[in-house]
Amino acid sequence: MILAENITGLILAGGRAQRMGGIDKGLISFHQKPLIESAIARLKPQVGPLVINANRNITKYAVYGYPVMLDEAPDFSGPLAGFSVGLKACKTPYLLTTPCDSPLLPKDLATKLGEELEQGDFQLVYASSKESDGKIWAQPVFCLMRANLQESLNAFLSKGDFKIDRWFKELKTSTVVFDDALAFANVNTPEELQSLESASA
């Protein structure tokens, strides 16, 4: 069993949020509180140290008392750029990543991904969600990885590739299917925000 104290949590808040008109998604109000607060509340009990990856509004994110890390790759290069700074900051054996805009993320994310990681001796395990119609969708930004993957990721990024699934193909990976698709619902448009607020009222 992987203990929470051996996992560093990384909240990804470094995107452009183009479908939300370019506003900083982590600071959008969800049930009268910034989205980042919901992510912190869900993730913090599952991990030891916590780090936030953001590329703007750094002082607003720093208010929560956790280190805020900027992308080292060109700004807004996607989740792998965030993974890279997370691994650099990681002083524990494992890193657990989640986006800032999925406020209902599973409370047992670390436990389930950790069990799979240990059972199969994997390098990285990511979540998948099962929709009501039975379809399975990969949710690669929700993943637990070994902290020794920094060299592999840096070598991949140095080729100018930022596609998350292509990096995963270079690793020994597995996935865990979660039945609650709503746990991975994220906010990309004002309509999705309203719908998610209603569903979680």
Side-chain angles (χ1 to χ4, degrees):
M1 180 182 170
I2 299 174
L3 300 175
E5 66 205 49
N6 290 327
I7 304 172
T8 295
L10 172 68
I11 298 176
L12 301 162
R16 284 190 198 278
Q18 286 167 314
R19 282 180 286 176
M20 290 291 281
I23 56 177
D24 197 333
K25 278 207 281 191
L27 303 175
I28 293 169
S29 179
F30 177 78
H31 292 309
Q32 284 80 53
K33 291 187 299 188
L35 270 172
I36 187 77
E37 291 189 20
S38 296
I40 290 170
R42 290 264 174 162
L43 189 61
K44 188 66 190 98
Q46 304 187 52
V47 299
L50 192 64
V51 179
I52 297 170
N53 165 232
N55 288 310
R56 49 189 167 159
N57 295 311
I58 308 305
T59 50
K60 288 183 180 176
Y61 285 116
V63 163
Y64 298 104
Y66 304 106
V68 181
M69 313 283 293
L70 282 77
D71 289 353
E72 290 181 351
D75 285 355
F76 308 108
S77 297
L80 286 188
F83 285 13
S84 178
V85 295
L87 285 169
K88 189 171 184 181
C90 188
K91 302 288 187 286
T92 58
Y94 306 96
L95 179 71
L96 178 65
T97 68
T98 63
C100 68
D101 62 343
S102 293
L104 308 177
L105 68 93
K107 292 178 178 177
D108 57 356
L109 185 69
T111 302
K112 287 191 170 177
L113 297 185
E115 285 170 357
E116 179 70 10
L117 191 81
E118 287 191 301
Q119 278 173 11
D121 193 31
F122 296 105
Q123 292 172 292
L124 180 151
V125 175
Y126 60 92
S128 289
S129 59
K130 189 175 186 179
E131 302 293 325
S132 53
D133 60 4
K135 266 189 187 160
I136 308 290
W137 293 93
Q139 304 286 352
V141 289
F142 296 85
C143 68
L144 180 68
M145 68 188 82
R146 298 183 187 274
N148 61 6
L149 290 180
Q150 187 169 16
E151 204 173 301
S152 163
L153 180 54
N154 287 349
F156 180 81
L157 293 174
S158 70
K159 296 183 283 191
D161 199 339
F162 292 93
K163 296 288 185 191
I164 197 167
D165 54 328
R166 287 188 200 153
W167 181 53
F168 282 12
K169 281 176 185 165
E170 296 186 0
L171 307 172
K172 190 179 178 189
T173 66
S174 182
T175 191
V176 175
V177 178
F178 290 77
D179 288 332
D180 182 11
L182 197 63
F184 300 96
N186 66 337
V187 176
N188 287 312
T189 65
E191 292 75 25
E192 285 176 356
L193 178 68
Q194 197 173 1
S195 170
L196 198 53
E197 279 194 324
S198 300
S200 59

